[in-house]
Amino acid sequence: MLRRRVERGERSPFRGKLREPRGSYSWGRATILSDHPDKVLTSAAKTETHLAPKLRQVVDASKRELFLVSPYFVPGNHLLLEEIRGQGET
């Protein structure tokens, strides 16, 4: 099974594009954030295991651009995102 995945990856059009020298890329700093796995074992009041406080630190430190990507991000408290949106373009 792993061999088939590797072979499919080698034939991937995306992989070919990465190897093209004429591609246009923007390099920058990235920060990866997540809830702590123990979040499910603690009370909702114990926010030290939550993503939101860490996200707040990144938001506050952002000077020019904030780009959020997540396949499953479901904000429990949408006020932070509304505040970010109010500070600049979306």
Side-chain angles (χ1 to χ4, degrees):
M1 184 167 171
L2 178 60
R3 172 180 249 144
R4 283 186 292 188
R5 286 184 179 182
V6 170
E7 289 171 356
R8 278 193 305 236
E10 289 174 352
R11 294 189 308 265
S12 163
F14 178 71
R15 184 171 188 242
K17 292 215 178 279
L18 283 175
R19 292 179 171 222
E20 291 178 11
R22 63 179 181 258
S24 174
Y25 303 100
S26 297
W27 297 99
R29 186 171 157 247
T31 302
I32 298 173
L33 302 174
S34 65
D35 286 321
H36 191 280
D38 289 344
K39 178 182 175 182
V40 297
L41 303 174
T42 60
S43 82
K46 289 190 92 172
T47 59
E48 64 267 12
T49 60
H50 296 195
L51 169 88
K54 294 182 269 186
L55 180 59
R56 167 53 81 185
Q57 290 176 349
V58 171
V59 168
D60 290 345
S62 297
K63 292 183 172 73
R64 199 182 94 202
E65 185 175 51
L66 179 67
F67 186 66
L68 296 174
V69 177
S70 176
Y72 63 91
F73 182 66
V74 179
N77 182 346
H78 57 84
L79 296 177
L80 174 62
L81 297 179
E82 288 178 7
E83 180 184 325
I84 294 166
R85 184 173 185 210
Q87 292 174 0
E89 296 180 29
T90 58

